Amino acid sequence: MSATPQKKRASRRVLAAAAGLATVGALVAAMPAGAHDRGQGHGHGHGHGHGHGHKPRTVDVQLLSFNDLHGNLEPPAGSAGNVTKTHPDGTVEAIPAGGVEYLATSLRTARKGNPYSVTAAAGDMVGASPLLSGLFHDEPTIEALNKLKLDVSAVGNHEFDEGAKELARLQNGGCHPVEGCYEKGKKFKGADFPYLAANVTKEKTGKPLLKPYTIWKKNGVKIGFIGVTLEGTPDIVTAEGVKGLKFHDEIKTINKYAKELDRKGVKSIVALIHEGGAPASTSYNYDCDSPGAGDGISGPIVDIAKGITPKVDALVTGHTHQAYVCTVPDPAGKPRMVTSASSFGKLYTDTTLTYDLRTKDIVRTSVKSANHVVSRDQPKASDMTRLIERWNRLAAPIANAPQGYISADINGRGSTAPEKPLGNVIADAQLEGLAPADKGGAQVAFMNPGGIRADLVYKASGSEGDGVVTYGEAFTVQPFTNMMNVVDLTGAQLVAALQQQVSGPNEAAPKILQVSKGLTYTLDLTKTGAARVVTDTIKLNGEAIDPARTYRVAMNEFLAGGGDGFPAFAQGTNKLVGASDLDLFNAYLAAHSSATSPLAPPATDRITVIQ
C-alpha cells in the first residue's frame, strides 16, 4: 500500500549508536547488481508420461510466492495479523497468521516432494517495517529471506524508501554508510536473490537500475522472471527516494523483455508485478472466478493483465495487500492466472506450472493455483527463531521503553472504516504538538491512511504487561520517522485536498485522510468523484471553511510534497519544519495516558459517511 516513506531516517534513528547497537564499518565495494540465477530443488517427484522407461513429456514446476512482507519477521499483532475465511455456511472466521518462523515452515513443508520448486516475491519485502527490522535498515529481513531460499523478487515502491543507493546495498551487501555494521565482526552480505526492476532506469544513462529479469534453471527446465514496480511509484515515495530515476509503463516494459527472453529460447515466463487489485471479497478463499454480479476483481492489475503479451504465463502481483487467485484474459482472450498473497507473510500462493519439455513452454490450461494460510499452529522454524532472538537482543534497549498506556485495542491498519480510531489519535497528536505559535501555530492536522502501518494492541507483545505501549510498538505504527510540516493553505485549497481523496488518481481507490479534532464533514459514497465530499458540510470547530481565509495546516513531509495524489497540499507556503511524526505520537501518548488512566479508543465521529 502507499505510505509515507522514511526519508533521511538514518540521522533520526533514535541514536542507535549511542545505545551501543552499532559498530562502525566501511561500506564495501559494490558487487555486480544481480545475484546468480539459481534453481531451488527440494524432495522427489515425477513428471507426467506414459509407459515405462519413456522420458515424460511434461514436468510440474511448483511456484511458491508471496508479497508485501514489509519486514514483519514477528507475527503481526492484532487485527492486522488476521486473515479472513468464509465457510460454506456463510460464517466468517478470522485466523491469526504470519510470522517468518511460520512462513519458513510453510514453504519448506510445501516444497517436499517437488523436485522443481521456485520461490518468488512481488515486492515490498522491506520498508515500513516494524522496529525489529526497521531499526537496522531491514538487514534482518534480507537475512531471513536468504534463509527462506527466496529465488527472486520484484522491487516494490517501498524498496525505494531510502533511495537507490540503499537499495543497491540491500542487493550487494556492505555495512550501512552512516551507522556501520550492527554486529561486531559481521559484515552484511546482501540478498542472495536478485531484485528485479525492469521498468526503473537511471535518468542520466537510461540504463536499468537493477536486472530486468532472471532465468531460473533446473535439469534443462528454464523459466524467465521479469520484475516491475508500479509506474506510479514516484507519487507514493518521497522525491529523495526516487531521485535520478525514471519509472516506465508496466505493460510495455514486460512485453519488451518477454520478447527478449523468447528470442533467447526462454518460452516459460512469469511476471512479478508490484501492483494489484481488489477482489469482491476480502476472504482469502474467495472464488475470484465466480460468475455472479459484482464478483471478480477490479483495480489497476486488471488492465495491466489484459495488456501483457500472451508469452507471459502467469502474473504474481502485490501492493494492494489483498488475497486473490483469479484468471484474467490475456490479449488473445485466453485465461491467465493472476495471484496475490495478502501481506505481512500471512499467506503464500502455491501455483503448479506444467512445463512441456518439448516446447519449453507452460501448458496454460493446466495451471493450478491456491492461497494457503501461514498458520501459527504449526512448528516454528528454529533458525528463524534464533535470527529473531539475535536481532531482538540488539534492539531491546530502545524497543522495550514504555511510551504510554491504552485501555483497549486502538485499530489503525486493521480498521476498514474510512475514519480509523488510531488515525484520530495520530492526527490529534500532530495538531497538539504543532499548535503552539512557536511550533507552527497549526489549526488542523491531516494524516495519510497508508502511513498507519499497524494497530495499537492492548495485549502485551513481550514482558511489558497488557496495555503498555512500547517504543517498538509505536515505531511499528509509524515507522517512517517523517518530519512534520506546518504550512499556510487557503480554505479553497483545503477543500480541494479533501476532494482529492476521492477524485483524480484516488477516485478508483479512495485515500481518506485522517483528520484532527475540530474538523468535520460528510462523505457521500453514493456519488462519484469530487462530489463525494459534501462541501457545505466542511467545518472547523463548528465554523464553515472560508475559501478565502488562510489556515495553518500540519501534515508529514510526504503529504506536504503532494504525495499520495494530494497536489493541493504541495501549494502550501510559509513552511515550518517541526518534530518527527513518531516523536509527536510518543509525546501525545506520554501526555494523555498513565498506568492508572490509560488512553481509551476515541470516538470516530469526525467524518459522516453516507454509503
Side-chain angles (χ1 to χ4, degrees):
M1 300 286 278
S2 64
T4 36
Q6 46 227 89
K7 181 176 159 196
K8 299 177 190 160
R9 193 173 61 184
S11 60
R12 310 169 194 154
R13 185 130 343 213
V14 292
L15 302 173
L21 300 188
T23 55
V24 179
L27 180 63
V28 299
M31 300 185 310
H36 293 296
D37 299 334
R38 148 184 115 212
Q40 192 63 46
H42 305 266
H44 305 282
H46 58 272
H48 304 280
H50 302 285
H52 211 63
H54 292 292
K55 191 178 177 188
R57 170 76 189 259
T58 63
V59 294
D60 283 346
V61 177
Q62 177 189 54
L63 172 61
L64 301 176
S65 57
F66 56 98
N67 51 277
D68 296 276
L69 181 65
H70 290 290
N72 279 264
L73 301 180
E74 295 176 295
S79 56
N82 292 337
V83 292
T84 54
K85 177 180 183 177
T86 301
H87 292 282
D89 64 1
T91 56
V92 177
E93 178 189 5
I95 306 168
V100 78
E101 294 159 297
Y102 303 112
L103 180 60
T105 299
S106 288
L107 295 178
R108 289 164 186 172
T109 303
R111 288 172 186 148
K112 284 176 185 163
N114 290 283
Y116 296 89
S117 184
V118 56
T119 304
D124 278 7
M125 293 296 97
V126 299
S129 305
L131 188 83
L132 175 61
S133 188
L135 188 63
F136 307 106
H137 294 275
D138 284 310
E139 289 180 23
T141 297
I142 297 295
E143 186 186 336
L145 293 170
N146 289 345
K147 287 180 185 291
L148 280 179
K149 299 280 190 255
L150 182 63
D151 287 295
V152 57
S153 179
V155 293
N157 52 290
H158 281 281
E159 266 80 12
F160 294 93
D161 281 352
E162 294 189 50
K165 277 188 181 168
E166 176 62 4
L167 174 55
R169 187 183 76 89
L170 291 180
Q171 177 73 84
N172 301 320
C175 297
H176 192 270
V178 176
E179 295 179 22
C181 299
Y182 294 110
E183 296 176 286
K184 200 173 178 180
K186 270 192 184 179
K187 191 180 77 181
F188 175 57
K189 290 203 333 253
D192 290 345
F193 55 91
Y195 257 125
L196 305 180
N199 65 332
V200 187
T201 57
K202 298 172 188 173
E203 268 177 4
K204 279 185 182 165
T205 63
K207 289 184 175 165
L209 176 69
L210 296 170
K211 287 175 67 164
Y213 59 79
T214 190
I215 302 165
W216 179 87
K217 301 170 186 168
K218 176 106 194 273
N219 296 344
V221 171
K222 287 194 286 193
I223 298 178
F225 287 88
I226 303 167
V228 298
T229 185
L230 69 155
E231 187 184 2
T233 291
D235 303 329
I236 51 176
V237 174
T238 52
E240 195 67 23
V242 294
K243 201 172 176 181
L245 302 176
K246 280 191 85 165
F247 291 77
H248 303 272
D249 180 85
E250 304 94 339
I251 299 171
K252 285 178 188 165
T253 304
I254 292 168
N255 289 353
K256 170 186 161 183
Y257 287 112
K259 198 180 278 182
E260 192 172 307
L261 282 165
D262 188 54
R263 280 201 305 268
K264 286 186 172 184
V266 179
K267 307 294 182 188
S268 299
I269 304 172
V270 175
L272 307 175
I273 307 172
H274 191 70
E275 178 60 291
S281 163
T282 54
S283 291
Y284 88 89
N285 61 331
Y286 167 65
D287 178 4
C288 208
D289 292 336
S290 48
D295 272 336
I297 184 171
S298 58
I301 200 62
V302 179
D303 286 338
I304 291 171
K306 285 177 177 172
I308 289 173
T309 172
K311 291 184 198 306
V312 175
D313 299 294
L315 277 53
V316 175
T317 73
H319 188 56
T320 56
H321 291 207
Q322 301 293 313
Y324 48 84
V325 173
C326 306
T327 57
V328 177
D330 69 13
K334 293 188 176 153
R336 178 168 53 193
M337 197 63 78
V338 180
T339 69
S340 175
S342 183
S343 64
F344 301 171
K346 293 181 287 189
L347 297 176
Y348 72 93
T349 313
D350 189 339
T351 302
T352 302
L353 302 172
T354 300
Y355 184 94
D356 187 315
L357 294 165
R358 203 172 301 165
T359 65
K360 298 183 167 43
D361 206 350
I362 301 299
V363 184
R364 194 95 79 67
T365 51
S366 299
V367 175
K368 297 187 294 289
S369 193
N371 275 327
H372 301 279
V373 178
V374 176
S375 75
R376 298 183 199 167
D377 56 10
Q378 59 185 324
K380 294 179 180 181
S382 58
D383 57 338
M384 294 299 180
T385 304
R386 287 193 298 275
L387 179 148
I388 288 168
E389 285 171 351
R390 200 179 92 236
W391 287 103
N392 262 331
R393 276 194 297 276
L394 286 175
I398 289 170
N400 298 337
Q403 303 299 308
Y405 302 83
I406 55 173
S407 63
D409 288 1
I410 304 180
N411 281 351
R413 193 71 182 185
S415 166
T416 54
E419 181 184 348
K420 305 169 193 311
L422 190 50
N424 288 358
V425 173
I426 290 168
D428 287 353
Q430 294 176 355
L431 177 62
E432 184 170 295
L434 301 170
D438 62 334
K439 304 287 191 221
Q443 296 163 277
V444 63
F446 293 98
M447 174 65 191
N448 56 313
I452 306 168
R453 306 305 300 185
D455 304 333
L456 279 185
V457 178
Y458 178 77
K459 190 175 182 337
S461 60
S463 57
E464 76 274 12
D466 289 349
V468 179
V469 180
T470 65
Y471 186 91
E473 290 165 340
F475 183 100
T476 298
V477 168
Q478 294 217 97
F480 300 110
T481 326
N482 265 310
M483 302 315 284
M484 293 299 299
N485 291 179
V486 186
V487 297
D488 282 352
L489 286 171
T490 65
Q493 288 166 332
L494 267 187
V495 171
L498 289 173
Q499 291 172 328
Q500 284 160 6
Q501 301 176 108
V502 289
S503 62
N506 293 331
E507 179 156 8
K511 291 193 178 88
I512 305 304
L513 295 161
Q514 307 300 287
V515 299
S516 56
K517 64 184 175 195
L519 187 79
T520 55
Y521 71 96
T522 296
L523 191 63
D524 186 349
L525 296 179
T526 65
K527 298 197 165 98
T528 57
R532 290 166 171 169
V533 174
V534 185
T535 49
D536 59 8
T537 65
I538 306 170
K539 291 181 180 173
L540 184 58
N541 302 320
E543 284 183 23
I545 291 283
D546 179 352
R549 189 176 152 196
T550 297
Y551 297 87
R552 292 294 282 164
V553 183
M555 66 193 89
N556 59 50
E557 60 194 336
F558 172 64
L559 274 181
D564 262 356
F566 291 98
F569 284 145
Q571 295 166 1
T573 58
N574 195 17
K575 179 167 79 173
L576 184 140
V577 177
S580 76
D581 51 8
L582 181 60
D583 286 347
L584 292 181
F585 185 48
N586 284 330
Y588 186 87
L589 290 171
H592 291 270
S593 70
S594 65
T596 52
S597 180
L599 183 70
T604 49
D605 54 5
R606 300 170 190 182
I607 306 171
T608 302
V609 181
I610 300 169
Q611 301 273 18

